[in-house]
Amino acid sequence: MPVNTYEAMFLLDSSKVAVSWDDSVKHVHDILTKHESEIVASRQWDERRLSYPVDGHKKGTYLLTYFKSEGANVKEIVADCRLSDHVLRELILKVHPKLVDHLVNQAMTSTPNAEEEGRREEDMDDRPRRRRRDD
C-alpha cells in the first residue's frame, strides 16, 4: 500500500499535560509508532478554553503532528486514540503530496497566537464609518 502523509490535531487533557507534557506527547507518539507510522513533525499548538465541555473538560491542549503511514493504519490509530485517557479528540487529515513540505515548515515555524493577532489587525478597517441616519 502507498504511504501517505497525514496532519493530525490531537486535543489532549490539560490536567494530564500539566503534570507532564513529555509523557503526554510520548503517549500520542507511542500510539502512532505502534501502528507503523513515521512522525515527521510534532509540536504543541495551543492551550485553550473549549467552546463546549468535552468529556467534562473545559480546557484542552492541542498537539499538531505530521506523520507518514499507510491509509489502513489510520482507522486503528483513531480507535486507539478513542481508548486513550490522554486524548480527548483527534482529527486526522490526509495531506496532498505537493503541500507536505510547505505545511510542515509552516506548522513548525509559526505560532497560533501571532497568527490570531495578525488576523485581528487585518479585520480592523481604518475607513471612516458613515453615521446612520434615523429618519
Side-chain angles (χ1 to χ4, degrees), residues 71-106:
N73 295 338
V74 174
K75 186 175 180 180
E76 296 168 2
I77 291 169
V78 169
D80 278 357
C81 287
R82 293 200 176 147
L83 292 174
S84 170
D85 57 345
H86 287 269
V87 180
L88 301 176
R89 292 279 194 276
E90 79 290 324
L91 174 66
I92 301 175
L93 303 171
K94 182 179 172 183
V95 177
H96 192 280
K98 291 182 180 179
L99 298 175
V100 171
D101 293 332
H102 175 71
L103 288 176
V104 170
N105 288 336
Q106 182 181 6

Side-chain angles (χ1 to χ4, degrees), residues 11-16 50 52-59 81-90:
L11 176 60
L12 304 177
D13 181 353
S14 286
S15 61
K16 293 191 183 342
L50 302 174
Y52 56 90
V54 177
D55 296 335
H57 299 278
K58 294 181 180 180
K59 275 179 72 174
C81 287
R82 293 200 176 147
L83 292 174
S84 170
D85 57 345
H86 287 269
V87 180
L88 301 176
R89 292 279 194 276
E90 79 290 324

Side-chain angles (χ1 to χ4, degrees), residues 1 10-11 14 32 37 51 66 70 93 101 121:
M1 290 188 97
F10 298 99
L11 176 60
S14 286
L32 294 173
S37 300
S51 298
Y66 288 89
E70 293 180 2
L93 303 171
D101 293 332
E121 290 173 7

Side-chain angles (χ1 to χ4, degrees), residues 1-48:
M1 290 188 97
V3 174
N4 299 311
T5 302
Y6 294 92
E7 176 183 63
M9 183 68 77
F10 298 99
L11 176 60
L12 304 177
D13 181 353
S14 286
S15 61
K16 293 191 183 342
V17 167
V19 172
S20 177
W21 168 250
D22 294 333
D23 288 344
S24 297
V25 172
K26 185 179 180 321
H27 179 75
V28 172
H29 288 183
D30 287 345
I31 291 173
L32 294 173
T33 55
K34 173 183 172 184
H35 298 290
E36 302 170 3
S37 300
E38 174 192 346
I39 298 169
V40 177
S42 184
R43 67 173 283 215
Q44 179 178 356
W45 186 248
D46 203 6
E47 181 176 0
R48 294 191 179 191

